[in-house]
Short mmCIF file of all heavy atoms in Angstrom, two decimals:
data_model
loop_
_atom_site.label_atom_id
_atom_site.label_comp_id
_atom_site.label_asym_id
_atom_site.label_seq_id
_atom_site.Cartn_x
_atom_site.Cartn_y
_atom_site.Cartn_z
N GLU A 74 268.31 201.63 -48.55
CA GLU A 74 268.01 200.25 -48.94
C GLU A 74 268.14 199.27 -47.78
O GLU A 74 267.37 198.33 -47.68
CB GLU A 74 268.92 199.81 -50.09
CG GLU A 74 268.49 200.35 -51.43
CD GLU A 74 267.11 199.87 -51.87
OE1 GLU A 74 266.79 198.67 -51.71
OE2 GLU A 74 266.35 200.70 -52.38
N GLN A 75 269.11 199.50 -46.91
CA GLN A 75 269.34 198.56 -45.81
C GLN A 75 268.25 198.62 -44.74
O GLN A 75 268.13 197.73 -43.93
CB GLN A 75 270.73 198.73 -45.18
CG GLN A 75 270.99 200.05 -44.53
CD GLN A 75 271.57 201.10 -45.46
OE1 GLN A 75 271.43 201.03 -46.67
NE2 GLN A 75 272.23 202.09 -44.89
N GLU A 76 267.44 199.67 -44.75
CA GLU A 76 266.33 199.78 -43.80
C GLU A 76 265.11 199.09 -44.39
O GLU A 76 264.82 199.23 -45.57
CB GLU A 76 266.02 201.25 -43.48
CG GLU A 76 267.11 201.90 -42.68
CD GLU A 76 266.71 203.26 -42.16
OE1 GLU A 76 265.52 203.47 -41.87
OE2 GLU A 76 267.60 204.11 -42.05
N SER A 77 264.42 198.35 -43.53
CA SER A 77 263.24 197.65 -44.01
C SER A 77 262.10 198.63 -44.23
O SER A 77 262.07 199.71 -43.65
CB SER A 77 262.83 196.56 -43.02
OG SER A 77 262.46 197.17 -41.79
N GLY A 78 261.20 198.24 -45.07
CA GLY A 78 260.03 199.05 -45.36
C GLY A 78 259.33 198.50 -46.58
O GLY A 78 259.98 198.12 -47.56
N THR A 79 258.04 198.47 -46.52
CA THR A 79 257.27 198.05 -47.69
C THR A 79 257.38 199.12 -48.75
O THR A 79 257.74 200.27 -48.45
CB THR A 79 255.79 197.84 -47.30
OG1 THR A 79 255.24 199.12 -46.95
CG2 THR A 79 255.62 196.85 -46.16
N PRO A 80 257.04 198.78 -49.99
CA PRO A 80 257.03 199.83 -51.02
C PRO A 80 256.14 201.01 -50.64
O PRO A 80 256.52 202.17 -50.84
CB PRO A 80 256.51 199.08 -52.25
CG PRO A 80 257.00 197.68 -52.05
CD PRO A 80 256.84 197.44 -50.57
N ARG A 81 255.00 200.73 -50.05
CA ARG A 81 254.10 201.80 -49.62
C ARG A 81 254.80 202.70 -48.59
O ARG A 81 254.74 203.93 -48.69
CB ARG A 81 252.83 201.19 -49.03
CG ARG A 81 251.81 202.21 -48.58
CD ARG A 81 250.60 201.50 -47.93
NE ARG A 81 249.51 202.40 -47.80
CZ ARG A 81 248.55 202.60 -48.69
NH1 ARG A 81 248.55 201.92 -49.82
NH2 ARG A 81 247.59 203.47 -48.47
N GLU A 82 255.47 202.10 -47.62
CA GLU A 82 256.19 202.87 -46.60
C GLU A 82 257.31 203.68 -47.21
O GLU A 82 257.58 204.81 -46.78
CB GLU A 82 256.73 201.93 -45.52
CG GLU A 82 255.66 201.31 -44.65
CD GLU A 82 256.16 200.15 -43.79
OE1 GLU A 82 257.21 199.55 -44.11
OE2 GLU A 82 255.47 199.84 -42.80
N ARG A 83 257.97 203.14 -48.25
CA ARG A 83 259.06 203.85 -48.91
C ARG A 83 258.55 205.11 -49.63
O ARG A 83 259.16 206.17 -49.56
CB ARG A 83 259.81 202.94 -49.87
CG ARG A 83 260.63 201.90 -49.16
CD ARG A 83 261.47 201.08 -50.13
NE ARG A 83 262.38 200.23 -49.39
CZ ARG A 83 263.48 200.65 -48.77
NH1 ARG A 83 263.81 201.91 -48.79
NH2 ARG A 83 264.25 199.81 -48.11
N VAL A 84 257.43 204.98 -50.30
CA VAL A 84 256.85 206.15 -50.97
C VAL A 84 256.40 207.17 -49.93
O VAL A 84 256.70 208.37 -50.04
CB VAL A 84 255.66 205.74 -51.88
CG1 VAL A 84 254.93 206.98 -52.39
CG2 VAL A 84 256.15 204.90 -53.05
N LEU A 85 255.68 206.71 -48.93
CA LEU A 85 255.19 207.64 -47.90
C LEU A 85 256.35 208.33 -47.18
O LEU A 85 256.23 209.50 -46.80
CB LEU A 85 254.29 206.91 -46.90
CG LEU A 85 252.92 206.52 -47.47
CD1 LEU A 85 252.17 205.64 -46.48
CD2 LEU A 85 252.11 207.75 -47.83
N HIS A 86 257.47 207.62 -47.02
CA HIS A 86 258.65 208.22 -46.37
C HIS A 86 259.10 209.48 -47.11
O HIS A 86 259.44 210.50 -46.49
CB HIS A 86 259.78 207.20 -46.29
CG HIS A 86 261.02 207.73 -45.68
ND1 HIS A 86 261.19 207.86 -44.31
CD2 HIS A 86 262.16 208.21 -46.22
CE1 HIS A 86 262.37 208.37 -44.06
NE2 HIS A 86 262.98 208.60 -45.20
N VAL A 87 259.12 209.43 -48.44
CA VAL A 87 259.52 210.59 -49.24
C VAL A 87 258.66 211.81 -48.87
O VAL A 87 259.18 212.90 -48.63
CB VAL A 87 259.40 210.30 -50.76
CG1 VAL A 87 259.59 211.57 -51.59
CG2 VAL A 87 260.39 209.23 -51.18
N PHE A 88 257.37 211.60 -48.77
CA PHE A 88 256.45 212.70 -48.51
C PHE A 88 256.44 213.11 -47.04
O PHE A 88 256.24 214.29 -46.73
CB PHE A 88 255.06 212.36 -49.06
CG PHE A 88 255.08 212.33 -50.55
CD1 PHE A 88 255.40 211.16 -51.24
CD2 PHE A 88 254.84 213.48 -51.27
CE1 PHE A 88 255.46 211.15 -52.62
CE2 PHE A 88 254.91 213.48 -52.66
CZ PHE A 88 255.22 212.31 -53.34
N GLU A 89 256.71 212.18 -46.15
CA GLU A 89 256.87 212.54 -44.74
C GLU A 89 258.10 213.42 -44.55
O GLU A 89 258.07 214.41 -43.81
CB GLU A 89 256.97 211.28 -43.88
CG GLU A 89 255.67 210.52 -43.76
CD GLU A 89 255.83 209.09 -43.27
OE1 GLU A 89 256.97 208.63 -43.05
OE2 GLU A 89 254.79 208.42 -43.11
N GLN A 90 259.17 213.07 -45.26
CA GLN A 90 260.40 213.87 -45.18
C GLN A 90 260.19 215.25 -45.80
O GLN A 90 260.69 216.26 -45.29
CB GLN A 90 261.56 213.14 -45.87
CG GLN A 90 262.01 211.90 -45.14
CD GLN A 90 262.42 212.19 -43.70
OE1 GLN A 90 261.70 211.85 -42.77
NE2 GLN A 90 263.55 212.83 -43.53
N LEU A 91 259.44 215.29 -46.90
CA LEU A 91 259.12 216.58 -47.52
C LEU A 91 258.35 217.45 -46.54
O LEU A 91 258.67 218.63 -46.35
CB LEU A 91 258.29 216.37 -48.80
CG LEU A 91 257.63 217.61 -49.40
CD1 LEU A 91 258.65 218.66 -49.76
CD2 LEU A 91 256.78 217.22 -50.59
N GLU A 92 257.35 216.87 -45.87
CA GLU A 92 256.55 217.64 -44.92
C GLU A 92 257.40 218.10 -43.73
O GLU A 92 257.24 219.23 -43.26
CB GLU A 92 255.35 216.83 -44.46
CG GLU A 92 254.32 216.70 -45.56
CD GLU A 92 253.06 215.99 -45.13
OE1 GLU A 92 253.01 215.42 -44.03
OE2 GLU A 92 252.10 216.03 -45.93
N LYS A 93 258.30 217.26 -43.30
CA LYS A 93 259.20 217.63 -42.20
C LYS A 93 260.09 218.81 -42.61
O LYS A 93 260.22 219.79 -41.88
CB LYS A 93 260.05 216.41 -41.81
CG LYS A 93 260.99 216.64 -40.67
CD LYS A 93 261.76 215.35 -40.38
CE LYS A 93 262.88 215.59 -39.41
NZ LYS A 93 263.72 214.40 -39.23
N SER A 94 260.67 218.73 -43.79
CA SER A 94 261.52 219.82 -44.29
C SER A 94 260.72 221.09 -44.50
O SER A 94 261.17 222.19 -44.18
CB SER A 94 262.18 219.42 -45.62
OG SER A 94 263.07 218.36 -45.44
N ALA A 95 259.52 220.93 -45.06
CA ALA A 95 258.68 222.09 -45.37
C ALA A 95 258.26 222.86 -44.13
O ALA A 95 257.95 224.05 -44.22
CB ALA A 95 257.44 221.64 -46.15
N ALA A 96 258.29 222.21 -42.98
CA ALA A 96 257.92 222.88 -41.73
C ALA A 96 259.06 223.75 -41.18
O ALA A 96 258.83 224.57 -40.29
CB ALA A 96 257.51 221.84 -40.68
N GLU A 97 260.25 223.60 -41.72
CA GLU A 97 261.40 224.39 -41.28
C GLU A 97 261.29 225.82 -41.83
O GLU A 97 260.97 226.00 -43.01
CB GLU A 97 262.71 223.76 -41.76
CG GLU A 97 262.99 222.39 -41.17
CD GLU A 97 263.22 222.42 -39.68
OE1 GLU A 97 263.85 223.38 -39.19
OE2 GLU A 97 262.75 221.50 -39.00
N PRO A 98 261.56 226.83 -41.00
CA PRO A 98 261.43 228.23 -41.47
C PRO A 98 262.30 228.57 -42.68
O PRO A 98 261.91 229.39 -43.51
CB PRO A 98 261.86 229.06 -40.26
CG PRO A 98 261.74 228.14 -39.09
CD PRO A 98 261.93 226.74 -39.60
N ALA A 99 263.45 227.94 -42.81
CA ALA A 99 264.37 228.27 -43.91
C ALA A 99 264.04 227.51 -45.20
O ALA A 99 264.70 227.72 -46.21
CB ALA A 99 265.81 227.97 -43.49
N TYR A 100 263.03 226.65 -45.16
CA TYR A 100 262.71 225.85 -46.34
C TYR A 100 262.05 226.71 -47.41
O TYR A 100 261.05 227.37 -47.18
CB TYR A 100 261.79 224.67 -45.98
CG TYR A 100 261.67 223.66 -47.09
CD1 TYR A 100 262.72 222.81 -47.40
CD2 TYR A 100 260.52 223.59 -47.86
CE1 TYR A 100 262.62 221.89 -48.41
CE2 TYR A 100 260.41 222.67 -48.89
CZ TYR A 100 261.47 221.82 -49.16
OH TYR A 100 261.37 220.91 -50.18
N LEU A 101 262.61 226.69 -48.61
CA LEU A 101 262.11 227.50 -49.72
C LEU A 101 261.70 226.64 -50.91
O LEU A 101 261.61 227.13 -52.03
CB LEU A 101 263.19 228.49 -50.16
CG LEU A 101 263.66 229.47 -49.08
CD1 LEU A 101 264.85 230.27 -49.57
CD2 LEU A 101 262.52 230.37 -48.67
N GLY A 102 261.45 225.36 -50.66
CA GLY A 102 261.04 224.47 -51.73
C GLY A 102 262.21 223.69 -52.27
O GLY A 102 263.34 223.75 -51.78
N CYS A 103 261.94 222.92 -53.30
CA CYS A 103 262.95 222.07 -53.94
C CYS A 103 263.92 222.93 -54.76
O CYS A 103 263.50 223.66 -55.66
CB CYS A 103 262.26 221.05 -54.84
SG CYS A 103 263.38 220.08 -55.85
N PRO A 104 265.22 222.82 -54.48
CA PRO A 104 266.18 223.64 -55.24
C PRO A 104 266.25 223.25 -56.71
O PRO A 104 266.54 224.09 -57.56
CB PRO A 104 267.52 223.36 -54.54
CG PRO A 104 267.33 222.05 -53.84
CD PRO A 104 265.88 221.98 -53.47
N TYR A 105 265.93 222.00 -57.03
CA TYR A 105 265.99 221.55 -58.42
C TYR A 105 264.78 222.06 -59.21
O TYR A 105 264.93 222.52 -60.35
CB TYR A 105 266.11 220.01 -58.46
CG TYR A 105 267.34 219.60 -57.70
CD1 TYR A 105 267.28 219.20 -56.38
CD2 TYR A 105 268.59 219.69 -58.30
CE1 TYR A 105 268.43 218.88 -55.67
CE2 TYR A 105 269.75 219.37 -57.60
CZ TYR A 105 269.66 218.97 -56.28
OH TYR A 105 270.80 218.67 -55.58
N LEU A 106 263.63 222.03 -58.60
CA LEU A 106 262.44 222.60 -59.22
C LEU A 106 262.62 224.11 -59.41
O LEU A 106 262.32 224.65 -60.47
CB LEU A 106 261.20 222.31 -58.38
CG LEU A 106 259.89 222.87 -58.91
CD1 LEU A 106 259.54 222.27 -60.27
CD2 LEU A 106 258.76 222.62 -57.90
N ALA A 107 263.14 224.77 -58.39
CA ALA A 107 263.35 226.22 -58.48
C ALA A 107 264.28 226.57 -59.64
O ALA A 107 264.03 227.51 -60.40
CB ALA A 107 263.90 226.75 -57.16
N ALA A 108 265.37 225.80 -59.78
CA ALA A 108 266.31 226.07 -60.88
C ALA A 108 265.62 225.89 -62.24
O ALA A 108 265.78 226.73 -63.13
CB ALA A 108 267.53 225.16 -60.76
N LEU A 109 264.86 224.81 -62.38
CA LEU A 109 264.16 224.58 -63.65
C LEU A 109 263.19 225.70 -63.97
O LEU A 109 263.12 226.18 -65.11
CB LEU A 109 263.42 223.24 -63.61
CG LEU A 109 264.30 222.00 -63.69
CD1 LEU A 109 263.49 220.75 -63.34
CD2 LEU A 109 264.94 221.88 -65.06
N VAL A 110 262.43 226.13 -62.98
CA VAL A 110 261.44 227.18 -63.20
C VAL A 110 262.11 228.51 -63.51
O VAL A 110 261.70 229.23 -64.42
CB VAL A 110 260.50 227.30 -61.98
CG1 VAL A 110 259.63 228.53 -62.06
CG2 VAL A 110 259.65 226.04 -61.84
N GLU A 111 263.15 228.84 -62.77
CA GLU A 111 263.81 230.13 -62.98
C GLU A 111 264.56 230.20 -64.30
O GLU A 111 264.55 231.23 -64.97
CB GLU A 111 264.78 230.43 -61.84
CG GLU A 111 264.11 230.84 -60.56
CD GLU A 111 265.13 231.26 -59.53
OE1 GLU A 111 265.80 232.29 -59.74
OE2 GLU A 111 265.25 230.54 -58.52
N LEU A 112 265.23 229.13 -64.66
CA LEU A 112 266.10 229.16 -65.83
C LEU A 112 265.33 229.07 -67.15
O LEU A 112 265.69 229.71 -68.13
CB LEU A 112 267.14 228.04 -65.76
CG LEU A 112 268.16 228.23 -64.65
CD1 LEU A 112 268.98 226.97 -64.45
CD2 LEU A 112 269.06 229.43 -64.96
N LYS A 113 264.33 228.23 -67.21
CA LYS A 113 263.49 228.07 -68.40
C LYS A 113 264.27 227.66 -69.65
O LYS A 113 263.74 227.68 -70.75
CB LYS A 113 262.68 229.33 -68.68
CG LYS A 113 261.68 229.64 -67.59
CD LYS A 113 260.98 230.95 -67.85
CE LYS A 113 260.02 231.37 -66.79
NZ LYS A 113 260.32 231.14 -65.43
N ASP A 114 265.51 227.31 -69.50
CA ASP A 114 266.35 226.90 -70.63
C ASP A 114 266.75 225.44 -70.40
O ASP A 114 267.58 225.16 -69.54
CB ASP A 114 267.59 227.79 -70.72
CG ASP A 114 268.58 227.35 -71.78
OD1 ASP A 114 268.30 226.37 -72.51
OD2 ASP A 114 269.65 227.96 -71.87
#
Side-chain angles (χ1 to χ4, degrees):
E74 282 297 317
Q75 63 271 22
E76 290 190 32
S77 63
T79 66
R81 182 183 194 91
E82 291 167 339
R83 289 185 172 285
V84 171
L85 288 172
H86 179 80
V87 170
F88 291 88
E89 289 163 357
Q90 292 303 106
L91 168 59
E92 288 184 351
K93 182 179 170 186
S94 295
E97 296 294 322
Y100 192 73
L101 300 172
C103 172
Y105 302 96
L106 179 62
L109 287 168
V110 169
E111 285 186 66
L112 292 169
K113 296 176 182 38
D114 175 3

